[in-house]
């Protein structure tokens, strides 16, 4: 809990670029956890003022991905009225996005629906002498930049309009509808200092900060203006966001100061890195949450993994598996690391495997079914077994999963290591031989397995009894009996034990495969 008089209010404010980035999921998760820990409010706002980046369906995608991950929020945008939190909230349809509902008393929660507000606040800054109109044309700005480059100076607006235009001239230009932007008058030679909840004391000198554009000539705000106006009006107390926004923060603080508003607390969470320490990017692998779901990572595992990208409970704790409930209890913003967090797929595989192991076979089957259905070997098997009832097929797949459960890193791997459960096998003769055994010995061995398994009744066809019967017959030379049997059932060098394979295949198919092997010797 943090000691604060004010009710904690946080937000996740993605730009709808098409999908939920894994880093976005982490930002959303940390905000969610922080809000829940502090009985605060978590809002979902859409920052869509960069119209060039607009992607059809992106807002729905974002909402769906967050919901799929089990996150919930208290106000902002929703797909369904039913999902909004309480009846005291104002509810309205989004005017920008069909089928999107906005709920809460601080709306609209879509920035492109708040343009009038941004304009009003930008003009207020002009009236207060904190910002100014700039009518410079792109060609002039371009030349200025080239000159600065030549002189090895940082690219900064030279305040031409501020220095040369009288208020009459400005008004005339505005009346004549000359294209204009509004720029912040960034005070020179000041130091902006703030205490970041993750990074500690951070300071910037204003001499490196350009007189940034707040309102563009098309009437749209820039990210900085919209972000600050919204965080203020939505009474956001803590801004928890990715470190890539750290360089924007002094600009935001300057805006809070210019408006005379109290600034929120900031927490910049570490960058996500590839194994080679470069910034996590699409080029090096998947970055969309839905890609991981499609590959058969469980939402609980993804949440667990993402929570630990930049945080762990510390103090000698070795716990690595956390449910969402446990994360709400244990997550601590103060323990978030400063250093970049390496996105380690092996770790994700390990965490996912832990979750898969904990599932009942029935649960695993529900989760894995669609992954089977996509496999070619499954499609062929399914057609070939047209006479089987749905129940028989379900039972068969559950047996396969029982055997595979402890080895799966994700659900898209189902069946991959054990295609012989689904295919007719052709066992190479050589593979059947255990060490130096002769053809006669091989035949005897397979014949022995066949006899034992023929005498094992359908009722006795369990993993335990199959194993018991075979081991009892194998005596000390287990390889002599078990290797040829396993090879005859699977046709491959490596596979689960012959007991498990026989159990899955069933009595009839097991005996068939042994007979086929015998016939081939
Ligand atoms: N719209 C920004 C983004 O897409 C939000 C940055 C912030 O949280 O201030 O990540």
């Amino acid at each position: 809990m943090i000691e604060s008089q004010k009710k904690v209010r946080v937000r996740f404010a993605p730009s709808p670029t098409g999908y939920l980035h894994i880093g976005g999921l982490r930002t959303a998760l940390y905000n969610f956890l922080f809000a829940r820990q502090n009985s605060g409010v978590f809002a979902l706002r859409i920052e869509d003022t960069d119209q060039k980046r607009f992607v059809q369906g992106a807002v729905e995608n974002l909402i769906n991905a967050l919901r799929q991950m089990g996150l919930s929020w208290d106000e902002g945008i929703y797909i369904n009225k039913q999902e909004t939190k309480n009846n005291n909230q104002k509810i309205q349809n989004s005017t920008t996005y069909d089928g999107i509902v906005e709920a809460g008393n601080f709306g609209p929660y879509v920035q492109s629906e708040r343009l009038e507000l941004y304009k009003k606040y930008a003009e207020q800054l002009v009236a207060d002498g904190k910002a100014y109109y700039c009518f410079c044309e792109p060609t002039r700005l371009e030349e200025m930049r080239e000159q600065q480059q030549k002189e090895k100076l940082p690219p900064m607006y030279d305040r031409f309009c501020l220095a040369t235009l009288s208020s009459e001239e400005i008004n005339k230009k505005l009346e004549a509808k000359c294209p204009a932007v509004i720029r912040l008058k960034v005070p020179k030679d000041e130091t902006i200092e703030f205490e970041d909840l993750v990074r500690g004391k951070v300071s910037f000198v204003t001499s490196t900060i350009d007189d940034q554009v707040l309102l563009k000539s098309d009437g749209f705000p820039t990210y900085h203006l919209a972000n600050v106006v919204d965080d203020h009006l939505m009474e956001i107390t803590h801004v928890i966001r990715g470190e890539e926004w750290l360089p924007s923060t002094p600009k935001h603080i300057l805006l809070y100061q210019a408006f005379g508003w109290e600034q929120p607390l900031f927490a910049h969470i570490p960058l996500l890195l590839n194994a080679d320490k470069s910034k996590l990017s699409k080029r090096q692998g998947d970055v969309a949450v839905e890609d991981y779901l499609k590959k058969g990572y469980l939402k609980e595992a993804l949440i667990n993994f993402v929570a630990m990208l930049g945080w762990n409970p510390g103090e000698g704790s070795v716990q690595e598996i956390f449910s969402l409930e446990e994360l709400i209890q244990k997550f601590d913003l103060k323990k978030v690391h400063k250093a970049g967090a390496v996105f380690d797929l092996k770790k994700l595989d390990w965490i996912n495997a832990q979750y898969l192991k904990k599932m009942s076979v029935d649960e695993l089957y529900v989760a894995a079914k669609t992954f089977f259905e996509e496999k070619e070997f499954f499609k062929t098997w399914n057609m070939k077994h047209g006479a089987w009832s749905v129940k028989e097929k379900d039972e068969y797949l559950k047996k396969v999963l029982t055997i595979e459960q402890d080895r799966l890193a994700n659900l898209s791997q189902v069946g991959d290591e054990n295609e012989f459960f689904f295919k007719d096998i052709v066992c190479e003769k050589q593979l059947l031989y255990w060490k130096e055994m002769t053809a006669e010995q091989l035949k005897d061995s397979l014949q022995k397995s066949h006899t034992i398994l023929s005498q094992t009744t359908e009722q006795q066809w369990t993993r335990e009894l199959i194993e018991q019967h075979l081991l009892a017959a194998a005596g000390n030379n287990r390889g002599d009996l078990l290797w040829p049997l396993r090879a005859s059932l699977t046709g491959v060098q490596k596979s689960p034990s012959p007991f498990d394979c026989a159990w899955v295949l069933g009595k009839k198919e097991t005996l068939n495969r042994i007979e086929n092997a015998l016939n081939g010797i």
Side-chain angles (χ1 to χ4, degrees), residues 204-263:
F204 289 88
V205 282
T206 56
S207 51
T208 57
I209 302 174
D210 193 14
D211 279 359
Q212 62 201 282
V213 174
L214 303 177
L215 200 70
K216 296 181 273 188
S217 55
D218 59 4
F220 273 76
T222 54
Y223 154 70
H224 305 298
L225 177 68
N227 192 269
V228 166
V229 167
D230 287 355
D231 283 346
H232 172 72
L233 294 181
M234 294 181 184
E235 297 179 10
I236 298 302
T237 54
H238 297 74
V239 169
I240 304 169
R241 62 182 170 199
E243 194 187 311
E244 60 273 30
W245 301 104
L246 188 61
S248 298
T249 307
K251 299 176 186 174
H252 298 176
I253 291 177
L254 285 168
L255 272 167
Y256 284 105
Q257 290 175 351
F259 282 119
W261 293 340
E262 190 187 337
Q263 72 195 43

Side-chain angles (χ1 to χ4, degrees), residues 426-442:
V426 199
C427 183
E428 265 186 56
K429 222 161 57 184
Q430 264 332 96
L431 188 68
L432 291 167
Y433 287 86
W434 173 245
K435 296 196 171 156
E436 316 284 279
M437 75 183 357
T438 64
E440 271 322 296
Q441 286 168 326
L442 174 60

